[in-house]
Structure formats: structure tokens, C-alpha cells
């Protein structure tokens, strides 16, 4: 992508409305634009990051056996009345009427709709286990949206829903998502701690929030420090291995960790003082097992091996991609801007032409751009006529992991400079060596 043809509305000044680092940097880097309170457009740079986050989420959901579908944002109130949640959900639910005066709502979650889909098509235990997920916009009319897309009214959510014949089967499905979440957040460059949590309006009796530690976190969290040494489940994890997944769950829940809602001061005090961790945290995922909470009122049953009908046991599993993006920034930035993990960076590298119009510089940059693009790299080519300081500031602000700098002096020697955005380390090498370094 040539920067001269790209839409990247950089802000030079810090926006006054931004209270935290991620909100400030997302606005300055031209990633988002607020349209109304708690509602944002994702501009091209932000959309690239969001798509990469969604891609990793999809890969890990699919690896764990979940199947993707897409449900609508608008839902019939009848389904929520059937489950008993329509009146209970409160003012966060946006209720509307269509032109036929039928009550509708902008979905804050999809338990009812997916249960309706399930009961329509699945009749036998032979079709179980089943886990259906989608990545879709949600709306919750927060009384105080803040921190940009960290806590907005409209947001993107990956929500998955499992269906099983028995409670034991449902717990196995829960453990699948537990392991998949640990892998997902690790691939995003985050160390997430699973913590016992309140189930809230979703309901149920088995719940964990996945928390990353950050000073700007809304939740107060308490845990044992040993979490930093736990191994993330491997790529070849067998998600059909009941005992193996239970062992992963048992390991990660073997020491104390809880949000403030579930905090047990006595249990926390029993931890040696040097091993206690009390901090602020950002919730990036939440999983629930809630049994027959929805299948019972909505009649979601299957015929079991005994020939009788059985209510299915369900769970739901959420990740907020539009919350994850600022969470990653909170965990990875410096005074100059964002430092993206390679896995979600909007571009793999940026080629910076220090003297556009100089024949040698232009030729070197075109060679880099063509070779790296052909090798499958996402390349941003800064071919603008901005000053060198502006180019460097932009590259640092948007956080592309590798900067390839071509100036007249180095190019005259057949070389360019490579800068690592995270460490700041620089090295000079030939153009051919630089290409081999990035594609090798």
C-alpha cells in the first residue's frame, strides 16, 4: 500500500476527550472516528488490525471444533420474552418497534436466537456436541461509555454457544473454550489470567473472565503471581482429549484468581505476601456454563440414546475484538506510539523513502516494495513528500514492527537501514540482505 494513496488521517495533537493511552493513540493514528457517544467508525488502519485479531480468533475457534455462522443484529422480542430475559435485562437493551409495530431489539447477546436455531434443526444426541459461533456487532446502551472502543455502546463480539447432552459433556465443551482462549490471547501478545467471575445477566453457575493486567483496567483483580510461569496450551492440543483438557483447566485454576465481585479476602490472605498480586485489569473474554437456563424455557431438547427427550446443556463464550485492540495497545506502547505484536500489526513493515524524487532512492524503495509484496508481506510504502521527521513520527505512531529506511547516502552504497520498532535497534545492510531477512 502506497501511503500517498492511503487514507490515514493522522492527528498531531492529543485529543482532549481521550482519557487513556489506547484511546489517545487510536485517535491520533487514524484508527477510529467517534460518530456519536460510544459509537465508532473503524478507519482503514484500525480495520486492518481488527481483521487480524478476528482472524486469530477464528483460527482458534475452528481449531477447538466450533463452527461459524452469522446471526442478525436485530432480534425479535418474542424470543427474549420466551426465555424470560426481556424484562430482566434492563435499560442497556435498546428496544425498538418496526413498521408493523412488532417489538424488536438490537441484540446485546444471542443466547435466545441460537437456541431457536438449534431447536429447529437438531433433534438427536448424535448431532452433539455442537458449538456455533459468530463475530457480529452488539449494542448495549451503557450509561457511561468511555475509553474509546474499550467500553463503547456498539461493539464487535465473538460469541460462541455450546450444546451438549449431559453436564459432563458440557464441562468438556467449556474446557475446550478455556484452552482455546488461552491460546488466542497468547497469539495476540497478551498474558491473560482466567479468574472466577460473576455470571451477571447471562446467568449460570460456572464462569471465568480472562483478564490482562493494566493500570487503566476497570476491574480490581486479585491473584497468585505464579500465573506468569504457566505454559500456554500447544498448537497440537487434542481438543477431544477429555482428561488432557481437564488437566489444563485444573492447572490454570489451581491457584487463587478472582475479580472483585468474587474476591475472598480470607483465601487471598492465605497466599504468602510475596506471591500476592493485586492490580487493575481489563476483561478481554468471558465464558459461562449455564446448563438448561435457556433450553428449558425454550424447549431445546434432543432424543438421547435411551430414546427419551433430554434438555440440552449449554454454555456461551465471548471475546470482544473491538475491546482487544485497545487492550493490546495498553499492554504495548511507548512515548512515541503503538508497538504492535507481529501477529496483529496493520502492516508487516514500512518502507520509508527519505528523498522522494531521487532516482536512486525511488529505485531502491520500489525494489523493496515489489519484492516484499510478492513474498506475501503486507507492506506500507511511505512515498509522500513529507519531511524526514514527519515520516519517522508517523511510522513510530502507527507501530509497524519493522521500518526500512532508504536515504541518499545509504542507497549510494547499495544499503538501507532497518529499525526494529519495539527495541529501537538499527542495522545497516544491503537491499538484498534486507529482503532475505524479512522473507526468510
Amino acid at each position: 500500500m502506497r501511503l500517498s494513496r492511503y487514507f490515514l488521517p493522522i492527528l498531531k495533537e492529543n485529543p482532549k476527550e481521550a482519557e487513556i493511552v489506547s484511546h489517545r493513540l487510536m485517535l491520533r493514528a487514524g484508527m477510529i472516528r467517534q460518530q456519536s457517544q460510544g459509537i465508532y467508525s473503524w478507519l482503514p488502519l484500525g480495520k486492518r488490525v481488527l481483521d487480524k485479531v478476528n482472524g486469530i480468533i477464528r483460527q482458534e475457534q475452528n481449531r477447538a471444533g466450533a463452527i461459524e455462522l452469522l446471526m442478525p443484529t436485530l432480534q425479535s422480542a418474542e424470543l427474549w420474552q420466551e426465555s424470560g430475559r426481556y424484562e430482566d435485562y434492563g435499560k442497556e437493551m435498546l428496544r425498538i418497534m418496526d413498521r408493523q409495530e412488532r417489538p424488536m431489539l438490537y441484540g446485546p447477546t444471542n443466547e435466545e436466537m441460537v437456541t431457536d436455531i438449534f431447536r429447529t434443526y437438531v433433534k438427536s444426541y448424535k448431532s452433539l456436541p455442537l458449538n456455533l459461533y459468530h463475530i457480529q456487532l452488539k449494542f448495549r446502551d451503557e450509561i457511561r461509555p468511555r475509553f474509546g472502543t474499550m467500553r463503547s455502546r456498539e461493539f464487535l463480539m465473538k460469541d460462541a454457544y455450546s450444546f451438549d447432552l449431559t453436564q459432563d459433556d458440557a464441562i468438556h465443551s467449556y474446557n475446550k473454550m478455556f484452552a482455546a482462549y488461552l491460546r488466542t490471547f497468547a497469539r495476540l501478545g497478551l498474558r491473560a489470567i482466567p479468574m472466577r467471575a460473576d455470571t451477571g445477566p447471562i446467568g449460570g453457575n460456572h464462569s471465568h473472565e480472562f483478564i490482562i493486567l493494566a493500570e487503566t483496567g476497570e476491574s480490581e483483580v486479585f491473584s497468585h503471581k505464579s500465573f506468569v510461569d504457566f505454559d500456554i496450551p500447544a498448537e497440537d492440543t487434542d481438543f477431544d482429549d477429555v482428561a488432557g483438557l481437564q488437566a489444563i483447566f485444573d492447572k490454570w485454576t489451581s491457584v487463587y484468581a478472582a475479580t472483585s465481585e468474587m474476591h475472598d479476602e480470607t483465601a487471598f490472605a492465605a497466599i504468602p505476601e510475596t506471591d500476592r498480586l493485586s492490580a487493575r485489569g481489563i476483561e478481554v473474554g468471558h465464558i459461562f456454563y449455564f446448563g438448561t437456563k435457556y433450553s428449558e424455557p425454550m424447549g431445546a431438547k434432543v432424543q438421547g440414546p435411551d430414546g427419551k427427550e433430554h434438555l440440552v446443556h449449554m454454555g456461551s463464550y465471548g471475546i470482544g475484538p473491538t475491546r482487544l485492540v485497545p487492550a493490546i495497545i495498553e499492554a504495548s506502547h511507548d512515548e512515541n506510539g503503538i508497538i504492535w505484536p507481529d501477529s496483529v500489526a496493520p502492516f508487516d513493515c514500512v518502507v520509508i523513502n527519505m528523498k522522494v524524487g531521487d532516482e536512486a532512492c525511488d529505485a531502491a524503495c520500489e525494489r523493496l516494495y515489489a519484492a516484499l509484496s510478492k513474498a506475501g508481506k503486507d507492506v506500507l510504502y511511505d512515498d509522500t513528500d513529507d519531511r524526514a521527521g514527519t515520516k519517522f513520527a508517523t511510522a513510530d505512531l502507527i507501530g509497524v514492527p519493522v521500518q526500512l529506511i532508504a536515504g541518499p547516502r545509504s542507497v549510494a552504497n547499495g544499503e538501507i537501514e532497518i529499525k526494529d520498532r519495539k527495541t529501537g535497534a538499527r542495522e545497516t545492510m544491503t537491499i538484498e540482505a534486507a529482503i532475505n531477512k524479512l522473507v526468510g
Side-chain angles (χ1 to χ4, degrees):
M1 179 62 64
R2 296 175 186 271
L3 186 53
S4 62
R5 302 177 188 173
Y6 197 53
F7 181 61
L8 185 63
I10 297 292
L11 299 180
K12 294 182 179 180
E13 303 296 330
N14 287 326
K16 294 181 180 179
E17 70 270 26
E19 301 177 57
I20 61 174
V21 169
S22 59
H23 190 194
R24 180 170 70 248
L25 291 177
M26 290 177 76
L27 289 171
R28 285 199 56 215
M31 294 180 62
I32 57 173
R33 169 79 166 95
Q34 182 170 318
Q35 303 301 149
S36 62
Q37 188 183 39
I39 299 176
Y40 290 84
S41 290
W42 283 77
L43 305 182
L45 191 77
K47 179 64 163 49
R48 291 181 74 93
V49 176
L50 190 60
D51 285 347
K52 291 194 174 183
V53 168
N54 288 338
I56 289 173
I57 291 172
R58 279 193 173 94
Q59 289 170 9
E60 295 303 329
Q61 289 295 288
N62 296 344
R63 191 193 308 276
I67 302 168
E68 187 173 8
L69 76 170
L70 184 62
M71 292 176 276
T73 56
L74 293 181
Q75 303 183 31
S76 168
E78 291 180 0
L79 289 175
W80 287 67
Q81 291 166 346
E82 191 176 351
S83 73
R85 276 209 303 175
Y86 186 67
E87 299 299 335
D88 294 342
Y89 208 90
K91 292 184 177 181
E92 287 187 355
M93 180 188 289
L94 181 62
R95 296 167 171 84
I96 58 179
M97 287 283 184
D98 68 12
R99 65 192 302 165
Q100 278 81 37
E101 298 298 316
R102 291 174 298 202
M104 307 285 289
L105 57 98
Y106 192 145
T109 183
N110 277 74
E111 280 82 4
E112 284 80 2
M113 183 169 286
V114 77
T115 302
D116 179 57
I117 292 172
F118 176 89
R119 70 182 177 183
T120 301
Y121 297 107
V122 180
K123 305 299 181 183
S124 170
Y125 75 96
K126 295 179 181 180
S127 298
L128 303 180
L130 181 64
N131 189 325
L132 301 174
Y133 80 96
H134 70 161
I135 300 176
Q136 177 61 289
L137 288 170
K138 303 284 189 290
F139 189 91
R140 295 175 188 171
D141 203 0
E142 294 273 1
I143 190 170
R144 192 186 174 198
R146 57 196 303 224
F147 302 153
T149 65
M150 185 78 77
R151 186 173 180 176
S152 55
R153 294 196 296 163
E154 184 182 64
F155 55 94
L156 200 62
M157 177 68 72
K158 186 288 302 181
D159 39 327
Y161 305 92
S162 62
F163 301 85
D164 288 278
L165 182 64
T166 68
Q167 180 175 346
D168 286 346
D169 293 338
I171 294 301
H172 178 51
S173 291
Y174 187 95
N175 290 345
K176 288 181 182 180
M177 289 291 101
F178 188 94
Y181 274 38
L182 293 174
R183 283 192 46 76
T184 298
F185 299 129
R187 290 185 61 192
L188 295 172
L190 300 171
R191 187 71 175 188
I193 303 174
M195 299 191 172
R196 290 194 312 119
D198 184 21
T199 57
I202 298 290
N205 53 17
H206 198 42
S207 173
H208 285 85
E209 288 182 5
F210 288 78
I211 302 288
I212 65 165
L213 303 182
E215 293 180 2
T216 52
E218 294 182 290
S219 303
E220 188 174 8
V221 296
F222 307 86
S223 75
H224 196 288
K225 288 183 178 179
S226 61
F227 277 107
V228 297
D229 298 321
F230 287 176
D231 293 330
I232 301 298
E235 184 176 346
D236 62 354
T237 295
D238 183 356
F239 284 90
D240 292 324
D241 181 356
V242 176
L245 288 184
Q246 186 63 50
I248 292 172
F249 178 85
D250 290 344
K251 175 66 174 179
W252 280 83
T253 57
S254 62
V255 295
Y256 186 84
T259 58
S260 56
E261 295 88 349
M262 303 294 286
H263 182 48
D264 182 336
E265 188 61 47
T266 302
F268 187 63
I271 300 172
E273 188 172 354
T274 55
D275 292 331
R276 293 179 204 158
L277 178 63
S278 176
R280 308 296 298 181
I282 299 170
E283 178 194 339
V284 290
H286 204 160
I287 61 177
F288 307 84
Y289 161 68
F290 41 68
T292 60
K293 177 179 173 63
Y294 298 95
S295 58
E296 185 169 3
M298 299 186 70
K301 301 177 181 179
V302 295
Q303 186 178 59
D306 57 4
K308 299 179 181 179
E309 286 194 329
H310 298 262
L311 291 168
V312 291
H313 289 251
M314 294 175 57
S316 72
Y317 316 91
I319 293 177
T322 47
R323 172 180 280 245
L324 268 172
V325 174
I328 293 169
I329 295 173
E330 290 292 330
S332 186
H333 67 272
D334 62 16
E335 66 276 9
N336 295 319
I338 303 164
I339 303 174
W340 292 115
D342 291 351
S343 60
V344 296
F347 297 95
D348 297 316
C349 57
V350 54
V351 175
I352 301 175
N353 190 336
M354 297 294 291
K355 193 174 183 180
V356 174
D358 179 89
E359 185 175 351
C361 283
D362 290 350
C365 290
E366 290 292 345
R367 182 183 172 190
L368 285 165
Y369 183 51
L372 293 172
S373 298
K374 185 177 180 180
K377 296 294 182 180
D378 284 331
V379 187
L380 179 64
Y381 174 21
D382 188 345
D383 59 343
T384 66
D385 58 4
D386 289 330
R387 293 179 302 174
T390 300
K391 289 174 179 277
F392 291 144
T394 296
D396 283 348
L397 174 62
I398 66 176
V400 178
V402 178
Q403 300 174 15
L404 306 172
I405 305 163
R409 290 184 181 179
S410 58
V411 168
N413 296 322
E415 297 175 330
I416 63 166
E417 188 177 44
I418 294 185
K419 175 186 171 183
D420 184 292
R421 173 66 183 91
K422 183 175 183 180
T423 66
R426 296 170 180 260
E427 59 180 321
T428 300
M429 61 182 67
T430 66
I431 295 173
E432 191 67 30
I435 293 170
N436 291 336
K437 179 181 177 69
L438 291 180
V439 303

